[in-house]
């Protein structure tokens, strides 16, 4: 659908890829009912489609889709409602319309009413006197139990609710009630009432329409006199005898409550008042608050508030607060320094006081009490209904009583109350404020509660509750912005603005952040008094606050630049967020404090550190974790600040803080807090502290704490296998980062070297752990060696590389240790980058001529790791690390010593990368392709010895190097297969393609096989090229014989190639060497195999090889007939089926009579039968086809 059109009728060409989300959202705003013609055609087609169920459902579905588009803008339908209704009513009024057409028309009417709302749509329905009887008769004829036609009954009940409003006494419609036979007919009033009562007890949506009908019908002047008391008596007796413990009882109670609520809503007060007390008593006896049915409790609250409004006179409270000036433009001028807007006073006039003096019925207290209980209900819709009831009721009470209600609502805000109570209280306050019933004198009591509500967060088990409370508190702030004059809220502006900003950027829940942003925006516009409102709104709008990391780390820094918000934001992080139950929030809080430190360094030192240091060794685990991270981040920020000002960090931090930072590890160690589940949080936190303090150059050189820190890092790496798998990676990375920072700062002598004893001890200890029986210990210490600084690796490089090489080798006892091999390769690459390159340098210090071959050999070996276990292809992690390592080392050598790059090594590396970029796993294929193109296009200087560089640059243009999507098989494989034309890459590309073409993923198989077929189609007429391809194919098969990872997909690929006629060029030559060699390899691969998948693929290949003439045809048939007597029944059946299809396809391999007889035997024989029986049939087929019968070998004893 074209959203924007120019005057010329041509759609505007816009690139929507870079549009902001709000721009895209605005594009979805509709301007008119554009599908009018389509809707007209659908309605007109109803007479044609109603008899066919499929066409009927299609029409309903299409109409639903059209109408649902306008759910948010239903008013656009208004100009078209009349003709739609007329068209459908014409069908309904036509006596020739069959029932199926009538029901279908009512379904369309229901869809329209659902979207537009029945209140608006019903006004258009005909409601003349002549319509009453037909509608009633049609409704009486319906079957209430027919679940497929409920829309008909629903719409008829609504239609009847309009027609029954005719301004004539219904008795006039009865005429002569005596029939010819002398029997009395039922008056129309009773008939309508009977229908309404019956439908109040059905279980479908017709019940809702029946309640509407009752409310309109019973409130008619003639009906209320005669039938209102009886109806209420019936409804209350039905209600009191029903139980919400049963489904039937729940349905009946729902209908009665809906009817009563609608009745007391639409009925006149003087008519309903005599019955209100009785209804309230009955409702009390029902004890709906004990029901677990949300809808019943909601209807109970709704009815209670309607009863309360009936008890009270319908008058607007004269004492309510009215804001006299609501111009947004004036408010914005006010914020810019304009005059204060005038407001009306809320002082009541004497005569108004007299008007308020009237007796309040005692039942009102009961009503208010029930509504206050409803505010604490467990379901939101009940609390929301109760809040609206409180607002409506309070508006009719005298000032003193209304103030008591406000006081009772404020009692909900107690920390003894549940989150439900807080949420209901917030909703009630918003309603009271919106209606002007919360006088400014109460704001001093209310605002503190709202501020608490904005930060309400209670932990419950593994999660927390309170996001709905915070959201509702934002709604209160939004409502207050509209309700009060700026002068009234001025005393609370700083508190509210800070609280809303804090919620908008630091709340964990995205809905709360967005609600706070909206409330802040409303206050900026309506109040005009929020400091720096427009600037903050620009940075923290609805979309900006959607990303929590952006809020904590970026927007917070901008807003904290305004002095009014700096300290409240820091205080909130320290008091509320560093002890938050969510670990991610604690980590983000620490980083946020790091970013905020330059804005208030003195405040951090004097106020924040004294709070954090006791928490860092406190008893609460979460507070301890957050405080340690915060201490680390703030210290690091202060060190950067000191460095910028060319001062020492010790000049900023006093001795007490320095000692406190040192004591964190000592105290945790003394209390054994590194153990158990808590240790999983403490270890990475203290490692982060170690890293940040080391980077901050804290004056701890030679201090015993360094030994303690080193012990913690070593013990953490040694205990990795004991921690849960979810936190293992983070703990390992934290410890390795801490080690690198610690060594750089505290182990380096002034002259740049290391203490020999310390160096020997550290390297020897780490090397010994590389052969640990625990995989995670190997991972940790491999990465630890990789993180060591250059001065610690001096004279130890060769020894370390040898140790890491052993980690990367696959042996029988540690074949599954893929993660340790991955980390070993990562460490080797990191060490190479650390020590640097020197052509003739000593191998104990540099990457040089003596050890570069060994490094490449280790990395290239990693590309052959295809280990699998219960987790899948875990070897892919190793291959990914090897590819990254090869790229880093190659670029290092290219930039520093290109002469060390051997041509054969470069050739092998590029071929292996090409193979990886043709394999089946998208993520690793993408990584390989990215590395391949990085090496190809690196030009500072170019990587030497890349085979076929010009051809590669043609296949992968430089302009597409960045944008090329390797993840998409449809993009990757058409380019990759072009490398089959380059002799150097052909073998490796074909090996990679084999795994993809014969794989399982549908998109990968489709794209890779199609690309391969396209390539082969292009070389069909080039005998040399095709021969070279076939030789390479045979070589791949031979090299991977009995290697199921390659051979099984290879057999599947061969089946596709043979079936698609890719080798038709060889069919004309008898006994061509290619099919002969292929047959031999297939025989070898499937010999004595028990792999069902492999055997089935082999059968398909054998059947494909029959197309080649000569002696080999007999050999192929012999293999197939051999499999007809395979021990596995499934293989026998598969072979028989495939051979049957083969003989039909290649009918020239024998005489037609023979073929016919063989086909009969194949189809009639039960290949699941015992082997002797099957063998007899198989031998008969051999005789017919003149193929030697396989001989049964005696088993050797």
């Amino acid at each position: 659908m074209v959203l924007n059109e120019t005057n010329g009728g041509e759609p505007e060409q816009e690139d929507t890829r870079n549009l902001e989300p709000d721009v895209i959202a605005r594009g979805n705003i509709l301007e008119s009912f554009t599908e009018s013609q389509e809707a007209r055609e659908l309605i007109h087609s109803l007479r044609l489609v109603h008899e066919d169920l499929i066409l009927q459902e299609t029409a309903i579905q299409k109409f639903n889709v059209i109408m649902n588009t306008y759910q948010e803008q239903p008013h656009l339908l208004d100009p078209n409602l009349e003709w739609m209704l007329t068209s459908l009513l014409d069908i309904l009024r036509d006596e020739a319309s069959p029932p199926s057409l009538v029901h279908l028309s009512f379904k369309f009417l229901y869809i329209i009413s659902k979207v537009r709302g029945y209140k608006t749509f019903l006004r258009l329905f005909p409601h003349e006197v002549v319509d009453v009887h037909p509608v009633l008769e049609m409704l009486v004829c319906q079957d209430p139990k027919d679940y497929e036609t409920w829309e008909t009954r629903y719409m008829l009940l609504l239609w009847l609710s309009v027609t029954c409003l005719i301004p004539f006494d219904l008795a006039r419609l009865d005429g002569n009630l005596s029939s010819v036979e002398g029997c009395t007919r039922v008056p129309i009033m009773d008939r309508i009432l009977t229908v309404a009562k019956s439908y109040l007890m059905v279980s479908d949506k017709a019940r809702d329409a029946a309640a509407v009908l009752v409310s309109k019908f019973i409130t008619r002047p003639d009906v209320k006199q005669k039938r209102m008391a009886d109806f209420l008596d019936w409804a209350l007796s039905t209600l009191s005898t029903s139980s919400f413990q049963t489904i039937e009882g729940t349905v009946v109670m729902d209908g009665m409550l809906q009817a009563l609520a609608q009745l007391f809503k639409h009925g006149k007060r003087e008519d309903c008042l005599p019955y209100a007390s009785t209804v309230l008593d009955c409702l009390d006896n029902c004890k709906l608050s004990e029901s677990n049915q949300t809808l019943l409790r909601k209807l109970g609250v709704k009815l209670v508030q309607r009863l309360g409004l009936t008890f009270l006179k319908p008058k607007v409270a004269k004492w309510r607060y009215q804001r006299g000036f609501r111009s947004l433009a004036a408010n914005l001028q006010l914020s810019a320094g304009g005059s204060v807007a005038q407001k009306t006073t809320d002082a009541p006039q004497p005569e108004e006081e007299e008007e308020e003096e009237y007796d309040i019925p005692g039942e009102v207290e009961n009503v208010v009490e029930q509504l206050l209980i409803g505010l604490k209900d467990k379901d939101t819709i009940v609390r929301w209904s109760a809040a609206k009831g409180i607002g409506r009721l309070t508006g009719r009470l005298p000032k003193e009583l209304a103030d008591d209600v406000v006081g009772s609502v404020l009692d909900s805000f107690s920390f003894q109350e549940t989150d439900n109570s807080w949420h209901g209280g917030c909703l009630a306050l918003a309603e009271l404020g919106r209606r002007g019933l919360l006088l400014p004198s109460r704001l001093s009591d209310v605002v503190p509660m709202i501020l608490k509500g904005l930060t309400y967060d209670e932990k419950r088990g593994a999660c927390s509750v309170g996001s709905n409370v915070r959201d509702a508190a934002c709604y209160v702030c939004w409502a207050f912005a509209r309700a009060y004059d700026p002068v009234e809220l001025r005393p609370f502006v700083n508190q509210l603005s800070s609280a809303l900003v804090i919620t908008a950027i630091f709340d964990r829940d995205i809905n709360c952040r967005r609600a706070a942003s909206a409330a802040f925006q409303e206050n900026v516009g309506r109040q005009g008094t929020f400091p720096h409102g427009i600037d903050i709104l620009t940075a923290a709008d609805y979309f900006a606050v959607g990303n929590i990391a952006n809020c904590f780390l970026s927007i917070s820094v901008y807003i904290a630049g305004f002095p009014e918000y700096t300290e409240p934001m820091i205080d909130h992080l320290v008091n509320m967020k560093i002890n938050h139950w969510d670990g991610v929030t604690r980590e983000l809080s620490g980083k946020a404090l790091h970013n905020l430190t330059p804005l208030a360094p003195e405040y951090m030192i004097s106020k924040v550190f004294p709070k954090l240091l006791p928490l860092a060794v406190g008893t609460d685990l979460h507070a301890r974790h957050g405080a340690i991270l915060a201490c680390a981040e703030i210290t690091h920020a202060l060190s950067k600040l000191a460095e910028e000002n060319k001062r020492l960090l010790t000049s900023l931090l006093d001795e007490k803080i320095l000692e406190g930072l040192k004591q964190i590890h000592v105290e945790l160690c003394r209390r054994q807090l590194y153990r158990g589940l808590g240790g999983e949080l403490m270890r990475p936190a203290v490692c982060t502290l170690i890293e940040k303090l080391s980077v901050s150059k804290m004056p701890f050189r030679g201090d015993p704490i360094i030994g303690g820190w080193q012990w913690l890092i070593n013990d953490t790496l040694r205990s990795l296998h004991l921690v849960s798998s979810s936190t293992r990676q983070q703990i390992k990375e934290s410890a390795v980062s801490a080690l690198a920072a610690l060594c750089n700062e505290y182990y380096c002598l002034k002259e740049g070297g290391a203490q020999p004893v310390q160096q020997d001890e550290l390297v020897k200890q780490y090397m010994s752990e590389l052969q640990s029986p625990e995989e995670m210990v190997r991972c940790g210490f491999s990465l630890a060696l990789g993180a060591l600084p250059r001065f610690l690796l001096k004279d130890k490089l060769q020894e370390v590389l040898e140790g890491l090489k052993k980690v990367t080798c696959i042996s029988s006892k540690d074949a599954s240790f893929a993660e340790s091999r991955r980390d070993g390769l990562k460490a080797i690459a990191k060490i190479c980058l650390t020590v640097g390159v020197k052509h003739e340098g000593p191998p104990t210090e540099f990457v040089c001529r003596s050890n570069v071959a060994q490094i490449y050999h280790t990395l290239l070996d990693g590309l052959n790791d295809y280990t699998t276990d219960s987790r899948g292809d875990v070897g892919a992690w190793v291959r990914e690390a090897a590819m990254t390592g090869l790229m880093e080392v190659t670029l290092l050598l290219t930039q520093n010593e290109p002469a060390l790059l051997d041509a054969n090594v470069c050739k092998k590396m590029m071929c292996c990368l090409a193979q990886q970029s043709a394999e089946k796993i998208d993520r690793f294929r993408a990584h390989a392709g990215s590395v391949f193109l990085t090496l190809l296009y690196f030009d500072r200087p170019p990587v030497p010895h890349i085979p076929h560089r010009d051809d590669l640059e043609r296949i992968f243009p430089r302009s597409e190097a960045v944008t090329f999507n390797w993840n998409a098989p449809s993009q990757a494989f058409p380019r990759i297969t072009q490398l089959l034309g380059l002799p150097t890459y052909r073998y490796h590309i074909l090996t990679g393609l084999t795994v993809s073409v014969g794989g399982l993923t549908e998109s990968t198989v489709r794209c890779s096989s199609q690309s391969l077929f396209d390539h082969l189609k292009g070389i069909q007429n080039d005998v040399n090229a095709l021969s070279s391809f076939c030789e390479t194919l045979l070589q791949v098969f031979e090299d991977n014989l009995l290697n199921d990872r390659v051979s099984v997909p290879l057999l599947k690929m061969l089946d596709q190639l043979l079936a698609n006629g890719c080798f038709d060029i060889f069919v004309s030559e008898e006994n061509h060497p290619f099919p002969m060699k292929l047959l031999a390899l297939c025989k070898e691969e499937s010999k004595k195999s028990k792999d069902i998948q492999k055997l089935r693929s082999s059968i398909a290949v054998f059947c494909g090889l029959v197309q080649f003439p000569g002696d080999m045809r007999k050999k192929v048939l012999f293999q197939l007939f051999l499999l007809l007597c395979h021990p596995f029944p499934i293989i026998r059946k598969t072979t028989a089926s495939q051979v049957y299809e083969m003989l039909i396809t290649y009918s020239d391999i024998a005489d037609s009579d023979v073929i016919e007889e063989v086909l009969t035997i194949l189809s009639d024989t039960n290949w699941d039968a015992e082997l002797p029986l099957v063998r007899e049939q198989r031998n008969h087929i051999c005789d017919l086809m003149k193929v030697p019968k396989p001989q049964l070998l005696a088993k050797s004893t």
Side-chain angles (χ1 to χ4, degrees), residues 41-101:
E41 289 170 4
L42 278 171
I43 291 172
H44 288 160
S45 71
L46 295 186
R47 294 181 187 275
L48 304 174
V49 304
H50 71 91
E51 291 178 344
D52 188 322
L53 190 59
I54 294 174
L55 293 176
Q56 191 183 124
E57 287 186 1
T58 305
I60 293 170
Q61 186 65 30
K62 284 182 179 176
F63 196 64
N64 245 322
V65 169
I66 291 170
M67 300 306 289
N68 286 345
T69 310
Y70 298 88
Q71 285 274 25
E72 294 183 9
Q73 295 172 274
H75 60 276
L76 296 177
L77 299 174
D78 289 354
N80 301 274
L81 290 178
E82 195 168 340
W83 69 256
M84 284 195 280
L85 181 62
T86 305
S87 302
L88 290 166
L89 287 179
D90 287 345
I91 296 173
L92 298 176
R93 284 172 166 162
D94 186 353
E95 293 182 1
S97 298
S100 59
L101 179 56

Side-chain angles (χ1 to χ4, degrees), residues 1034-1051:
L1034 292 172
Q1035 190 63 51
V1036 170
F1037 201 164
E1038 197 169 347
D1039 292 347
N1040 291 282
L1041 209 59
L1042 304 179
N1043 173 11
D1044 288 358
R1045 184 188 68 81
V1046 180
S1047 62
V1048 174
L1050 181 58
L1051 289 169

Side-chain angles (χ1 to χ4, degrees), residues 744-764:
N744 270 317
E745 181 58 30
Y746 299 114
Y747 291 168
C748 183
L749 300 175
K750 289 183 180 178
E751 56 272 16
Q755 295 178 1
V757 177
Q758 195 177 38
Q759 180 189 15
D760 288 345
E761 185 182 340
L762 192 68
V763 173
K764 184 179 178 182

